Amino acid sequence: MKNNIKIFTSIMLIMILISCINVESFAYEQEEDVYRGEGLHFKGNDDDGISFIRRMRSVGDIIFEETDTSGAGSGIVTTEKAISTGENLIKKELVKYLTGSWAYANEYAWKEDNTATWTYGGGAEYSIADKVRLSLGLSRSVTTSYGTEIKIPAESGKLSKLGFASDFFEQNYYYEFKVNGTVDKSYNGYTKTPTEDSYLFVYYKK
């Protein structure tokens, strides 16, 4: 019986240790094993025809605010708003690799269209994140077409892959939903949307 208790205790300790491992840090270290090499810059087109308006908001500015009085007859009035908490321009973020396995290559060729799409996170809900995106005139997705085959040289003595990258605009915000003046729900979220600037890069393993 005592042996069983010791075994159970050991298993629990191992599980706790595993749960404490920072997965994000591990992923970041893995990414550090890769670096960008040769590349080319392109201009993409917004898939919804938005002309990259990007209405700027300073920290503390209201992105949108709406009041619903349809329930006023029953004594319910709701208000929701999103307030800017800052923004970032993320340059040359890898969207995806375009070739499969790491290989020793002296050149890569590419012709197919590539698309970068928007994402959201933090405590954000899709409907609110999308409302923030639309309020600021931000792109849902941007597609880059190349027309002719693009060729990029690579260092044949190093393991490499061809990758598609894009610049992204990240809008951070605080969202608040009130019922009769009392906060019912609130959170911090962000939307990250592609700009027109995209890239084809050769990525190398260190």
Side-chain angles (χ1 to χ4, degrees):
M1 182 68 178
K2 288 183 177 180
N3 287 336
N4 288 340
I5 292 173
K6 287 181 179 179
I7 292 170
F8 176 77
T9 303
S10 298
I11 291 172
M12 291 300 294
L13 286 171
I14 291 170
M15 291 177 69
I16 291 169
L17 286 171
I18 290 173
S19 67
C20 290
I21 293 174
N22 190 325
V23 177
E24 289 184 348
S25 295
F26 177 75
Y28 178 77
E29 288 167 6
Q30 292 294 94
E31 191 64 22
E32 286 292 291
D33 291 336
V34 177
Y35 69 95
R36 278 197 313 265
E38 300 80 1
L40 295 172
H41 175 226
F42 301 90
K43 292 289 185 180
N45 294 303
D46 185 278
D47 294 330
D48 292 329
I50 295 176
S51 300
F52 303 102
I53 302 167
R54 200 168 85 181
R55 303 179 183 93
M56 307 297 286
R57 294 290 190 277
S58 299
V59 174
D61 285 354
I62 294 175
I63 297 172
F64 73 81
E65 184 172 17
E66 297 177 358
T67 299
D68 183 0
T69 59
S70 60
S74 56
I76 297 175
V77 176
T78 62
T79 303
E80 64 174 357
K81 64 180 176 181
I83 301 170
S84 171
T85 56
E87 57 186 41
N88 299 295
L89 181 61
I90 303 167
K91 301 284 288 183
K92 302 174 183 176
E93 182 174 280
L94 175 64
V95 176
K96 62 180 178 179
Y97 288 117
L98 301 174
T99 52
S101 303
W102 293 96
Y104 294 100
N106 58 18
E107 184 180 71
Y108 287 98
W110 192 261
K111 187 179 180 179
E112 297 177 24
D113 292 358
N114 280 313
T115 300
T117 58
W118 80 294
T119 58
Y120 63 97
E125 302 164 307
Y126 172 83
S127 60
I128 303 305
D130 197 42
K131 192 176 291 188
V132 167
R133 181 185 68 81
L134 291 171
S135 296
L136 297 178
L138 302 173
S139 300
R140 175 180 58 87
S141 62
V142 175
T143 296
T144 302
S145 300
Y146 306 101
T148 59
E149 187 175 66
I150 304 298
K151 293 185 178 182
I152 303 176
E155 297 182 45
S156 59
K158 298 179 180 179
L159 285 170
S160 63
K161 284 185 180 184
L162 182 66
F164 171 62
S166 175
D167 289 352
F168 287 88
F169 175 73
E170 183 180 83
Q171 175 67 59
N172 300 293
Y173 62 90
Y174 168 75
Y175 172 77
E176 187 177 79
F177 179 80
K178 290 183 177 181
V179 178
N180 293 338
T182 301
V183 176
D184 181 69
K185 177 171 60 176
S186 65
Y187 58 76
N188 289 293
Y190 70 84
T191 61
K192 191 167 76 172
T193 57
T195 73
E196 61 184 336
D197 295 295
S198 69
Y199 312 83
L200 290 178
F201 281 114
V202 176
Y203 292 85
Y204 295 98
K205 274 203 166 187
K206 289 183 179 178

